[in-house]
Amino acid sequence: MLARQARLLAKTAAKVESSTGSLGVFGTTTQKNGIATEATFDYHPYKLHHLDEGPATSTTLTRDEGLRLYHQMVTVRRMETAAANLYKEKAIRGFCHLCSGQEAIYSGLVAGMRSQDSVITSYRAHGFTYVMGIPVLGVLAELTGKKSGVVRGKGGSMHMY
């Protein structure tokens, strides 16, 4: 399924590129066997205040990175759907702050983090907890108050460390 979606992405990119001029949405693309393996995105420079230079105005995304991010986002969405069902069945007690529709925030944030960076989450931490390396069952166990959860079932929806 992912290979089919990658082919569709390559076809869509080719259509957009041919319809919008020489550069299109992508600055450059690298293809192998008709499938895009890398894409470079150019965006507008930032307005700077008391800075000599700002962040880069282009970025490159490889096919493998894109598929990894997509897989993370789909897994977070499915995990949130499962959590919503558990909440409706009253298996999750108290509040359950879902993050459906915000999957790209977690994947993108972690993709841009360096090893020395740290993050403090708010009350929508399920997706972030998964993307940081905790398995889906660990997140769902925490939500349902099980000892196999991230914080031994004591944190619930808001306190996943």
Side-chain angles (χ1 to χ4, degrees):
M1 181 172 172
L2 291 175
R4 187 182 78 171
Q5 290 174 344
R7 283 193 299 273
L8 288 174
L9 176 64
K11 288 179 185 177
T12 305
K15 286 180 185 176
V16 168
E17 213 169 284
S18 65
S19 67
T20 58
S22 60
L23 290 179
V25 175
F26 304 110
T28 59
T29 59
T30 307
Q31 291 193 357
K32 181 180 177 184
N33 298 329
I35 297 176
T37 58
E38 186 176 275
T40 302
F41 300 91
D42 297 319
Y43 39 91
H44 299 291
Y46 295 93
K47 294 180 182 178
L48 303 177
H49 182 72
H50 296 292
L51 293 174
D52 294 331
E53 61 182 65
T57 58
S58 68
T59 188
T60 302
L61 180 71
T62 65
R63 179 180 184 271
D64 292 336
E65 289 171 339
L67 289 174
R68 181 182 55 79
L69 292 172
Y70 177 75
H71 183 266
Q72 283 180 345
M73 290 186 284
V74 169
T75 303
V76 170
R77 174 64 66 97
R78 289 181 177 173
M79 182 180 68
E80 289 297 295
T81 302
N85 291 336
L86 289 170
Y87 185 73
K88 290 174 189 172
E89 294 170 3
K90 302 199 188 281
I92 297 176
R93 301 177 67 188
F95 295 106
C96 184
H97 304 284
L98 300 175
C99 64
S100 297
Q102 300 175 18
E103 298 85 6
I105 294 169
Y106 304 112
S107 297
L109 181 70
V110 172
M113 285 178 62
R114 300 170 299 175
S115 60
Q116 68 264 28
D117 292 338
S118 59
V119 175
I120 298 174
T121 62
S122 62
Y123 55 89
R124 296 189 193 278
H126 312 154
F128 186 75
T129 305
Y130 165 74
V131 173
M132 288 298 289
I134 303 298
V136 172
L137 290 177
V139 175
L140 293 177
E142 184 61 38
L143 290 173
T144 55
K146 307 293 184 202
K147 285 190 177 185
S148 59
V150 179
V151 200
R152 310 272 190 260
K154 297 178 183 177
S157 179
M158 294 176 58
H159 304 285
M160 294 191 189
Y161 304 112

